[in-house]
Amino acid sequence: HINNFFTKYGGAENSVWKISNLFKNKGNKIYYFTTDKQPYFIADYEYSKYFPQYKDKRKSGIKDIINIFYNFEAKNNLENYLKEIQPDLIITHNILFHLTPAVFDACKKFNIPIIMYIQDPRLFCPGGLLAFSDKYCYEEPCIKGNPIFCIKNKCKLSSLKASIVASLNFIFVRNQNLFNKCDAIICLSGVLKNLAVRAGVPSEKIKVINHFIEEEKLLIKPVYNNKNYFLYAGRLDREKGVHFLIEAMKNVSSDIQLHIAGDGDEKENLVRQKECLNLNNIKFLGYLNRQALEEEYKNCIATVLPCNWFEAFGLTNIESFLYGKPVIASNIAAIPEIVDDGINGILVPPANINALSAAIEKLYYNSDLVIKMGRNGRNKVENLYTANVYWDKFSKEILSFLK
């Protein structure tokens, strides 16, 4: 498995770890290639001597700029690594800006089959989010390879410099023909596959395989009572839309509580927003360990995902279902593939404060509906999002495809 990081950096990294452990449980020998950003999932990892140096791209100088486009150290190290371990299959995940497309050239040198995992829209949007200035980018002007819109609107971090660098990298990556260098492509959702096809990726190469819940987590019993609060769990970044949720809380009864679990660059702004609105019914819990987060899930009324970007799957939605909790979420990107409006949750137009407030109040004052939706969500997890379902699809769609 090739990914920029081998640490609990974000959702993609935790997904790589989960997927690789499933492969291991099925009797496969697993290897990892990543940058040397620590702490690793496996301390003192045996092959970490091959990991290229991690560099914070936000602090990169002119001399380091080339490594954002093409990391020669990663290519050379991976070639030496592959000579030693001689794997039968390579799966790439997030490689932009750190490992870079250089890793594909190293893999092709050994004629090893390559599966490309696409977990977000970054290969089709230089800004990375398919959103800018708190607005979803419905027009998708850059997906064919021309990123001038990104520069014009400063889509990357609202910065002209960052947007120019991201746009140049976008052009370079698209010219590397990565989709032709891999043997098959996995997308997390149907909507992500459709985006890839619109961007010119050959449809026949793409297989849709959803995320899954680990077998041991399915032993968790759903909890259909609650302690009268709603829960947001995830990164506190602008695109996640938590500022919309806080704005919505001013329209509901002060008896309705909101717990916000997670951390991120937007946290200070969100705390300030809460204080400016004089809202005493919102608690910021910070980063929670697994046990504490489980308790938050078990005791909430429902979870809320108010994002306004291209959510390629939304793992927190099926985690909510796992605990028997419905979901209130934006009707955007892949979310409607998971959350069935009126069945296991409520879908609202993205960035619509009034609709978000109404959905919160609807569930707060209708406990029977909450229980019904929670049961439906749990049933969906057990039928569609298990490790066995994932492995069956991978075996059928990928392993048989490569034979």
Side-chain angles (χ1 to χ4, degrees), residues 232-237 240 242 260-264 293 297 316:
Y232 170 84
R235 288 185 291 113
L236 300 185
D237 289 336
K240 290 295 186 177
V242 182
I260 298 175
D263 214 336
L293 186 58
Y297 271 117
T316 57

Side-chain angles (χ1 to χ4, degrees), residues 11 51 85 92 108 111 120 152 155 181 185 193 212 221 241 244 257 261 298 313 325 362 364 369 375 396:
F51 293 175
I85 62 175
T92 67
K108 294 303 291 183
N111 295 317
D120 54 48
K152 178 182 175 182
C155 295
K181 291 179 179 178
I185 297 167
K193 175 182 177 178
F212 64 92
K221 300 295 183 183
F244 298 129
Q257 302 289 311
K298 288 178 180 178
F313 184 77
K325 306 299 179 178
K362 182 175 183 177
Y364 184 78
L369 181 62
R375 293 187 190 280
K396 178 182 177 181

Side-chain angles (χ1 to χ4, degrees), residues 1-2 78 82 87-93 95 100-118 176-186 205-207 394 397-399 401-402:
H1 288 267
I2 298 177
L78 182 55
L82 293 175
D88 299 309
L89 179 66
I90 292 170
I91 302 179
T92 67
H93 300 270
I95 53 92
T100 76
V103 296
F104 278 82
D105 293 336
C107 297
K108 294 303 291 183
K109 185 175 180 179
F110 293 87
N111 295 317
I112 303 169
I114 303 172
I115 308 300
M116 176 194 285
Y117 235 108
I118 301 180
Q176 293 297 300
N177 296 315
L178 300 186
F179 307 123
N180 293 325
K181 291 179 179 178
C182 64
D183 297 273
I185 297 167
I186 296 176
K205 270 194 173 184
I206 306 175
K207 313 299 176 183
F394 187 87
E397 300 286 353
I398 301 298
L399 297 183
F401 178 78
L402 294 176

